[in-house]
Amino acid sequence: MSLTIRGSAKARDQPSCNGFFCRMVCLPKCIFGGFSRVMGRRNQYQPSELQLQHPQLLHPPVVPEDWAFLVSFEQQYGTTHPFFYACSFMQALKIAEDEHKLMFMYLHSPEHPFTPSFCSRTLSSELVVQFLGANFVCWGAIADRGEGLQMAATLQPASFPFCAVIAPAAGNNIAVLQQMEGPIDPAELVEILQRTMEEQGSAFGTTVRGREEEHMRARIKEEEKIKARAKEQEKLRADRQLREEQDAAYFVALQRDQEKENLRNARAQKPIEASNQTNYQNPRQMHREKQLGKPRQSSSVGEAQYKETTTHGKDTQILIRFPGGERREHNFSCTDKILSIYRYIDSLGLPGIANYRLISSFPRRVYSFDQMGMTLKDAGLHPRASLFVELL
């Protein structure tokens, strides 16, 4: 007659999930942060993907203490048994979490009278071996040594053999979804494990997947933030490059205009020098003009005086280009309005310049009737700017 215990007497007051036994257990520090054991698979089944990625699990160094459970089991009951991961308890729990499976834990008590029948009839059963291999990550240990002793002290089984279905939980806790104490036949063990998976495994599997989905969403959100920052930085670089190109184009045009102005001044200076030379060579004529009260005044001197009076206190330089190719440069105050530029152009009395508007090219902007009351500084024309006269 087999005896199946789903939880010890001490655990009967623990909460249940869907009618099944379930309790939270806090692991001791020696297990939660313990040193890992190593081993390889020693039965006839193919190694898992994790073992293929980590060959050291297939061919480990022989450490007697770490091999004690498998050596003891296989010496007495043969090599037909579930694949028990020979690593630390926490490593096996992490493997189960990564593979979205629950952990099947078996604490082996070699001296207990129920152990031989359980190992030879139940754990060595082909039905149990195949079911556990397909649905669980298995971990086993001897109940009176190493981590097996620590787990026995933590879970406090009332009888042996002792099996439990375990799922990861927050912090250094584990969730014991089901535990079985005493002998049990293969069909009943598989039935209990199947019902546990259906009733509670999906909830814990959803929790694991939920954490992964949350991490995925957080990673996607962070990547979107990085892309947005990269786009913003790219836009700032493009704007800065455009401003630099506009400033460079403006200074090149200003330099050319200055060179042309210097050339015109040099050409205009030649007749004045010739006139001065003539006056120097004819002192009598100059004396007669003095006596007659006809003082001479150089036109360039008058122009310089005009520029001096008009440029005093002006801090904004405006270069105006006309449709015929003519250019004029005039200084204004940054507090002057756009209307001042129109008045200046009208005062020139240039032929054909009657109905027009002003346009800036970098960036293109129209200064027409609606902008007449805007100051030059507010219009972005301070300290210097180039405007085009466009006829309407």
Side-chain angles (χ1 to χ4, degrees):
M1 182 179 68
S2 63
L3 175 63
T4 303
I5 302 176
R6 300 191 182 101
S8 65
K10 296 181 180 181
R12 290 173 185 173
D13 296 332
Q14 297 290 341
S16 62
C17 302
N18 298 324
F20 278 80
F21 170 78
C22 176
R23 62 170 171 156
M24 302 299 295
V25 176
C26 180
L27 295 175
K29 292 183 179 179
C30 58
I31 292 181
F32 186 72
F35 187 79
S36 302
R37 295 182 297 147
V38 291
M39 68 165 276
R41 188 170 182 171
R42 298 185 60 191
N43 59 9
Q44 70 273 23
Y45 296 98
Q46 294 296 324
S48 66
E49 182 179 358
L50 180 67
Q51 290 177 309
L52 294 178
Q53 295 175 356
H54 303 282
Q56 68 272 19
L57 295 178
L58 291 174
H59 303 286
V62 177
V63 182
E65 180 62 29
D66 292 337
W67 283 81
F69 167 64
L70 284 181
V71 169
S72 174
F73 190 96
E74 292 182 356
Q75 284 180 348
Q76 289 186 272
Y77 309 108
T79 59
T80 301
H81 56 75
F83 170 53
F84 291 98
Y85 280 87
C87 55
S88 69
F89 176 84
M90 292 305 301
Q91 282 182 328
L93 193 64
K94 182 65 171 59
I95 294 172
E97 183 177 8
D98 293 341
E99 296 185 2
H100 305 294
K101 293 182 178 180
L102 299 176
M103 175 194 282
F104 176 82
M105 183 186 70
Y106 168 60
L107 295 183
H108 184 63
S109 179
E111 307 300 328
H112 198 279
F114 292 153
T115 297
S117 62
F118 178 78
C119 292
S120 60
R121 293 179 54 223
T122 303
L123 284 185
S124 298
S125 168
E126 192 68 25
L127 175 65
V128 173
V129 171
Q130 292 182 1
F131 183 82
L132 289 176
N135 300 284
F136 289 85
V137 170
C138 300
W139 182 83
I142 298 179
D144 60 355
R145 66 179 68 180
E147 286 190 331
L149 178 61
Q150 295 294 335
M151 292 304 300
T154 302
L155 300 179
Q156 298 181 357
S159 178
F160 290 95
F162 177 82
C163 304
V165 178
I166 295 178
N172 58 344
N173 297 318
I174 59 172
V176 182
L177 305 183
Q178 188 63 267
Q179 66 184 52
M180 293 144 283
E181 301 172 354
I184 182 173
D185 58 62
E188 189 175 1
L189 176 61
V190 171
E191 179 184 358
I192 294 174
L193 295 177
Q194 181 68 41
R195 290 169 58 190
T196 304
M197 289 174 53
E198 294 174 354
E199 296 291 337
Q200 300 192 78
S202 60
F204 283 89
T206 302
T207 301
V208 173
R209 289 190 296 271
R211 288 199 297 266
E212 293 181 349
E213 291 175 357
E214 183 178 353
H215 293 329
M216 179 65 70
R217 287 193 296 268
R219 185 162 59 250
I220 292 174
K221 189 175 181 180
E222 185 64 24
E223 291 176 355
E224 290 177 351
K225 288 182 179 180
I226 294 174
K227 290 180 180 178
R229 286 196 295 267
K231 288 182 179 179
E232 183 66 21
Q233 292 176 357
E234 183 64 26
K235 184 177 181 299
L236 292 176
R237 284 195 296 268
D239 293 341
R240 183 168 59 251
Q241 183 178 0
L242 178 60
R243 288 196 299 270
E244 292 175 354
E245 292 175 355
Q246 291 174 350
D247 291 342
Y250 172 79
F251 284 117
V252 169
L254 187 63
Q255 184 178 5
R256 291 176 180 174
D257 294 341
Q258 188 65 37
E259 291 175 355
K260 292 180 180 179
E261 185 68 20
N262 294 337
L263 182 60
R264 285 197 296 268
N265 292 338
R267 290 175 179 175
Q269 191 68 20
K270 288 183 179 180
I272 297 175
E273 293 176 355
S275 177
N276 291 338
Q277 185 176 6
T278 303
N279 292 337
Y280 177 78
Q281 292 176 353
N282 297 279
R284 293 181 181 179
Q285 183 177 357
M286 293 176 63
H287 180 68
R288 283 196 300 269
E289 289 178 353
K290 272 186 180 181
Q291 289 179 345
L292 294 175
K294 296 179 180 180
R296 295 171 56 91
Q297 183 176 3
S298 173
S299 61
S300 61
V301 175
E303 183 179 358
Q305 291 176 352
Y306 173 78
K307 287 184 178 180
E308 182 179 358
T309 57
T310 56
T311 59
H312 180 68
K314 307 297 183 179
D315 56 356
T316 302
Q317 188 178 32
I318 303 296
L319 175 65
I320 303 171
R321 303 185 182 188
F322 294 87
E326 186 174 0
R327 302 182 183 184
R328 294 294 179 91
E329 186 174 352
H330 193 73
N331 293 328
F332 298 86
S333 173
C334 65
T335 58
D336 290 344
K337 302 184 182 303
I338 299 293
L339 181 60
S340 301
I341 303 178
Y342 277 86
R343 288 178 176 174
Y344 168 72
I345 295 175
D346 294 340
S347 68
L348 298 177
L350 297 176
I353 306 300
N355 190 14
Y356 62 94
R357 62 180 181 178
L358 298 176
I359 297 176
S360 64
S361 60
F362 296 107
R364 179 177 173 82
R365 187 173 179 182
V366 178
Y367 302 95
S368 58
F369 180 79
D370 294 335
Q371 290 79 28
M372 289 291 187
M374 185 183 297
T375 65
L376 303 185
K377 187 174 183 179
D378 293 339
L381 303 178
H382 174 76
R384 61 179 65 85
S386 177
L387 298 176
F388 294 86
V389 175
E390 182 179 85
L391 299 180
L392 300 176

